[in-house]
Amino acid sequence: LGIEPVLPFRKSYNRAILEDIPELNLKQIDGWGQPYRELFSSLVSSTSAISGDIVHSTFYTPGFDWKYRAWPSATTLYDMIPERLGARGRFGNAHLAKKTFIKNADLLFSISETSSADMQDFYDFKTAPPITTYLGVGAEFSPGAAVPGWLPDRYFLYVGQRDGYKDITTAYKAFAHAFEGQQVSFILAGGGPLKEYEQSLIAELGITAQVSQHMISSEELPGASARAQALIFTSNFEGFGFPPIEAMASGTPSLVAQTEISEEVCAQSSTFFEVKNYIELAEKLQLSIEKDISVTSLIPSGLERAAFFSWENCAKATAAGYISYFDAH
């Protein structure tokens, strides 16, 4: 696309980069202390051997805005969830120096228009006009993905973290209201083992035997998504939200809490329910398992919508943003 990426580091956590882009010759970060050593080394190392036209920071670690101050700067905005919820991290602001990076950015990318609007609500300064670069869903998510043999015959799928604004409580209540004691399972992919409050709630709802959590691998997830009766997505806030798009790409209905971001990303290709309304979600669950036309009729448009969110489109929008900046300066 006419852009040459130059990395100022030689080690990474990112499995996709390590395995799928061998040309970068990166090594994996291992061990408990090594990430901190690598971060410190990156911060204090000289920039004299690095050449480039613009520096694009995809994280907000304090100090790096100062280190690369000699170059024009680009920054990516993901979401404003910590600001909206008043979240605090171990060292204060959960997104570290995000405000500083965004304020000083010469070129600003945002993964959704909703994130851009949220940013403008919270910051009292003008930023570079955000360029929307929607994220992508991998081609491995498709209706024909291989299904893991251990999965039950009928199940609903929930993917990722479950606490706080992810609102798993609404999903548990809806599932129990719809299917308590029936031969229907609720599979939780990732997100860590069930916590004590979850176990207590599940037991109280009478669905302990139906709910199970699995550390589903990235190789198994596309098949698990393709086989599910539907995906349940109860999150109240997101910057983008991968699971509904992955489900739609898999030919699987997605039952999604109706928020600004879900309306932007899913458009008219998902079945919406009111945030925290477990009764309405339960009704959608029953329609899904009955293959009701109100749910199944959205599958073709879901496949078409998901195809728009490709990494190729994301890369093209990013490259266009760089080039437009270069042309203007």
Side-chain angles (χ1 to χ4, degrees), residues 283-298:
E283 293 172 354
K284 307 299 185 183
L285 292 172
Q286 290 173 326
L287 291 174
S288 297
I289 209 162
E290 294 167 2
K291 306 295 184 184
D292 188 270
I293 191 171
S294 65
V295 175
T296 59
S297 63
L298 297 179

Side-chain angles (χ1 to χ4, degrees), residues 55-57 59-60 73-77 101-102 105 107-110:
V55 57
H56 187 163
S57 298
F59 53 88
Y60 315 115
S73 64
T75 293
T76 297
L77 169 68
F101 275 82
I102 289 177
L107 178 61
L108 181 60
F109 296 99
S110 175

